[in-house]
Amino acid sequence: MERIVAEKTFSKGIAIEKAYTVQAVDLTCEKYTISKDEVSREIAEFEAAVEKVNKDLSELALTDAIFEGHLAIVNDFSFADGVKTRISELTNVQTAISETVEEVESEFEKMDDEYIRERAADVADVGNRLLAVLQNKSLNKFASIRDPVIVVADDLAPSDMAMLDLNKVKGFITERGGVTSHVCIMSHNMGVPALVGVQGILKKVTSGDLVAMDAFSGEILVNPDEKAVKEMLAKKQMEENRTAVLKEKAALPAVSVDGHQVKVYANVGNLEDVDRVLKFSAEGVGLFRSEFIFMENDHFPSEEEQFEIYRQAVTRLNRELIIRTLDIGADKKLSYYQFPQEGNPYLGWRAVRVCLDKKDMFKAQLRALLRASAFGTIKVMVPMIISCEELDQVNALMEICKAELSRENKEFNPELSVGVMIETPAAVLCADLLAQRADFFSIGTNDLTQYVLAVDRGNEAISSLYNSFHPAVLRAVAQVIKAGHQAGIEVGMCGEFAGNPKATEILLGLGLDEFSMAASETPVIKDIVRNLDYKKAVQKAERVLNCFTVKEVTDILN
Ligand code: PEP
Ligand code: MG
């Protein structure tokens, strides 16, 4: 048995399962010279692979037009010619494919036309599909998960998480990532324990090892003995009992002892999460990360596809649903879209910047949201806003969509609220201005903390500096709440800080109207609010805002 202790914990819980270590699918192939006699056999292998990939892609293209582009490539005469010529020059088939793909890719990448440049990713995808067939490998690195497992990986991208079958994944352990990395946040929302930044774990665990993880204390046991398993199971049972007690009171409102009520909402990423909101009696959804719909897909979801999801979400929920417009870029990539290489992706082309550049895509989302708003209380909020101009542009597009829908006789809520996520220092400093044009604010402390402190939220090497209790972050939060209230709008928070029990009192005292967090956390936060005195919380918040250091802040709050 080996014992490892992770320093930082965030998505809590206990799991005991076999490990599933994730390896990237390695499709590298060795270059070698074939004999003249082997040429026809290698060409036949290529043609058989083309046939197989052609069949797979044709099936995909039936439901998704994007694969027609892939099909065109795999059936392209000059592509096949490039591969066959190389084989005839005595290069083995796999290398012939790789080299032809590289050549076509680099030609596409040189094009001025953005659309053609983006097709380079399709060429690479077709190449990978052909190589996977020839090497008899699956491209889905999670395909072989059949039974419950704890996934152990170097790092996981949000798009990886979107591909996982959560009925089977009982825990995550990664070598990289900070506690507000998206892997951690997403597992938290899904109610799955996660430990990130556990360096060296892949050297200590191999697939099939029994792993016991306690994401409360950070303890990981590899191949634990019987006694240790028993102890871990007992802790798990205790935790389940505690959750059951809180769940009994979950439906009660969050009203402080002196009568101050706040809303306690949940964060979601898909329709399954919506069911968790109901299970934990959260009062609404403060953040629907709509990018999950995009990441779970293999094409940009159409207006119709999005409309159906938003409509189902609000109907099933039957309570307020705040949907965030697409927030891709930085670490949130799409398998079917090539993002530009950026030196500083978190300061780069992401969120509303992408949406305002790709207006057709954005309009499809806004139209879908508007149409779904006819079925329940939907509000829309926009991420990464840095200026009133951006908000004006979003509102102008919204008006265009409304006019189109009216002409088409499609129903929507003409009063649909459009709010702003406050997650950049620019938005904090302009909060009084934005508040005059926004219908509500929601503070995204995950990004706000990283941008205010200039500390990358996903970098475990500097994770000790990433702290939302830093006086600068707390002052930013206070300023935003004040600006929102002066303009008469509600201020919520959907960053992870809203679900941190140690922060509840100060956030209550600062006047936060709505707290949004992982669904499983909502009964805990409601219970804390019900035991707090609002007037005392206000006084404490005032004291905290005068603190010089994080330690002074946490000493007061503890
Ligand atoms: C945030 O930044 O606080 C937030 C809620 O958005 P995300 O974590 O998805 O960036
Ligand atoms: Mg954010």
Side-chain angles (χ1 to χ4, degrees):
M1 171 168 98
E2 176 149 17
R3 184 171 176 271
I4 304 151
V5 179
E7 273 170 32
K8 289 221 169 185
T9 63
F10 177 65
S11 181
K12 313 269 197 252
I14 292 171
I16 308 174
E17 298 295 348
K18 292 225 166 98
Y20 178 90
T21 56
V22 178
Q23 315 290 353
V25 185
D26 182 8
L27 293 171
T28 45
C29 48
E30 222 175 280
K31 181 171 182 169
Y32 57 90
T33 307
I34 56 171
S35 69
K36 277 197 186 137
D37 298 346
E38 288 169 325
V39 168
S40 55
R41 195 202 62 207
E42 299 273 299
I43 289 183
E45 276 188 24
F46 170 65
E47 285 173 343
V50 166
E51 202 179 317
K52 167 84 176 70
V53 171
N54 198 348
K55 187 168 163 275
D56 294 348
L57 289 170
S58 303
E59 275 166 23
L60 290 170
L62 287 178
T63 48
D64 190 343
I66 196 135
F67 287 106
E68 278 159 19
H70 293 59
L71 265 176
I73 295 163
V74 79
N75 290 316
D76 182 67
F77 171 73
S78 55
F79 177 74
D81 202 38
V83 177
K84 287 181 188 170
T85 305
R86 284 182 167 87
I87 297 176
S88 311
E89 288 163 359
L90 307 183
T91 301
N92 61 313
V93 56
Q94 294 191 26
T95 309
I97 293 171
S98 301
E99 289 182 357
T100 310
V101 164
E102 261 173 47
E103 185 186 64
V104 181
E105 245 187 316
S106 73
E107 274 165 26
F108 277 30
E109 274 162 6
K110 277 188 230 139
M111 301 289 181
D112 288 336
D113 185 321
E114 192 198 340
Y115 177 79
I116 298 186
R117 271 204 317 273
E118 285 165 9
R119 300 283 71 75
D122 301 352
V123 178
D125 186 45
V126 166
N128 286 340
R129 284 170 187 272
L130 289 167
L131 289 174
V133 171
L134 288 167
Q135 295 177 17
N136 209 6
K137 285 182 181 161
S138 165
L139 280 178
N140 180 350
K141 44 190 172 192
F142 307 113
S144 56
I145 299 183
R146 307 250 181 277
D147 300 311
V149 288
I150 291 176
V151 169
V152 184
D154 177 42
D155 200 4
L156 291 167
S159 51
D160 288 331
M161 303 282 288
M163 272 165 59
L164 281 164
D165 174 357
L166 285 170
N167 294 320
K168 306 258 168 63
V169 180
K170 303 296 174 198
F172 292 101
I173 307 176
T174 64
E175 293 241 352
R176 289 195 278 155
V179 289
T180 47
S181 61
H182 279 104
V183 175
C184 231
I185 292 173
M186 288 159 83
S187 43
H188 195 204
N189 286 351
M190 298 160 178
V192 178
L195 291 169
V196 297
V198 189
Q199 287 170 27
I201 185 75
L202 278 171
K203 290 208 186 82
K204 295 175 179 156
V205 178
T206 44
S207 274
D209 281 345
L210 185 66
V211 171
M213 65 184 287
D214 174 354
F216 292 95
S217 66
E219 186 177 45
I220 301 167
L221 303 175
V222 184
N223 292 323
D225 54 32
E226 220 174 288
K227 182 168 166 269
V229 170
K230 258 196 191 153
E231 280 170 12
M232 198 64 99
L233 284 172
K235 272 198 238 172
K236 192 166 170 358
Q237 188 57 52
M238 256 169 62
E239 185 45 35
E240 281 167 9
N241 295 347
R242 192 186 74 99
T243 311
V245 170
L246 280 172
K247 248 184 92 186
E248 270 174 30
K249 294 192 279 175
L252 299 175
V255 187
S256 67
V257 287
D258 52 345
H260 181 84
Q261 183 163 358
V262 292
K263 296 176 180 171
V264 180
Y265 283 11
N267 295 346
V268 301
N270 53 32
L271 288 174
E272 285 86 69
D273 287 353
V274 169
D275 293 335
R276 292 176 56 74
V277 176
L278 301 174
K279 181 173 153 204
F280 287 98
S281 308
E283 295 162 342
V285 165
L287 166 64
F288 185 139
R289 288 184 163 93
S290 72
E291 58 274 13
F292 276 44
I293 303 170
F294 289 68
M295 290 190 299
E296 282 167 4
N297 245 306
D298 43 26
H299 61 279
F300 281 105
S302 64
E303 172 186 328
E304 215 49 45
E305 286 169 315
Q306 290 185 66
F307 163 64
E308 199 39 45
I309 295 171
Y310 305 145
R311 186 191 65 78
Q312 279 191 42
V314 76
T315 315
R316 239 189 249 186
L317 198 61
N318 198 20
R319 47 197 93 172
E320 189 168 282
L321 167 63
I322 303 179
I323 303 179
R324 168 170 81 184
T325 57
L326 182 62
D327 184 5
I328 40 166
D331 65 331
K332 293 187 217 163
K333 297 288 193 305
L334 305 173
S335 59
Y336 48 90
Y337 183 76
Q338 181 98 26
F339 278 83
Q341 282 290 331
E342 295 179 302
N344 226 333
Y346 272 112
L347 301 184
W349 198 56
R350 62 171 293 204
V352 69
R353 301 168 187 183
V354 177
C355 291
L356 290 175
D357 283 349
K358 292 177 87 57
K359 289 212 171 55
D360 285 346
M361 178 203 72
F362 194 30
K363 272 181 64 192
Q365 178 167 48
L366 296 181
R367 284 175 53 104
L369 289 167
L370 277 162
R371 286 173 57 200
S373 71
F375 293 83
T377 316
I378 286 185
K379 291 180 173 180
V380 171
M381 68 182 177
V382 191
M384 279 292 290
I385 287 282
I386 57 163
S387 65
C388 291
E389 285 94 327
E390 283 173 341
L391 179 59
D392 291 347
Q393 285 183 55
V394 173
N395 280 329
L397 269 182
M398 193 66 110
E399 290 311 311
I400 291 173
C401 293
K402 285 183 190 170
E404 284 175 6
L405 292 173
S406 299
R407 278 198 300 276
E408 295 162 23
N409 282 327
K410 293 199 168 122
E411 276 186 46
F412 62 90
N413 170 12
E415 305 299 327
L416 179 74
S417 294
V418 178
V420 165
M421 276 194 76
I422 305 288
E423 46 186 355
T424 64
V428 174
L429 295 169
C430 294
D432 57 332
L433 306 175
L434 286 165
Q436 294 174 49
R437 297 188 184 180
D439 292 321
F440 64 95
F441 281 162
S442 183
I443 307 175
T445 44
N446 306 335
D447 275 316
L448 187 61
T449 304
Q450 80 163 340
Y451 293 130
V452 165
L453 302 181
V455 175
D456 180 346
R457 63 193 265 187
N459 183 346
E460 72 282 0
I462 47 169
S463 63
S464 60
L465 296 176
Y466 183 97
N467 194 332
S468 302
F469 288 106
H470 189 296
V473 180
L474 296 177
R475 283 161 176 246
V477 169
Q479 190 174 328
V480 172
I481 297 174
K482 193 166 162 208
H485 288 175
Q486 271 171 356
I489 62 170
E490 267 191 16
V491 182
M493 179 179 286
C494 58
E496 296 305 306
F497 200 48
N500 183 338
K502 293 195 184 121
T504 311
E505 188 169 15
I506 176 170
L507 294 176
L508 184 79
L510 289 173
L512 193 71
D513 302 299
E514 172 239 300
F515 296 56
S516 193
M517 63 207 70
S520 58
E521 215 71 55
T522 55
V524 181
I525 300 299
K526 277 182 163 179
D527 200 53
I528 294 176
V529 172
R530 285 196 289 264
N531 286 294
L532 284 171
D533 183 309
Y534 173 64
K535 278 189 257 21
K536 282 191 192 145
V538 171
Q539 285 162 9
K540 220 178 222 187
E542 273 165 21
R543 277 175 61 206
V544 162
L545 288 181
N546 287 315
C547 288
F548 284 71
T549 63
V550 172
K551 178 153 189 324
E552 281 177 32
V553 171
T554 43
D555 281 351
I556 291 180
L557 296 177
N558 285 337

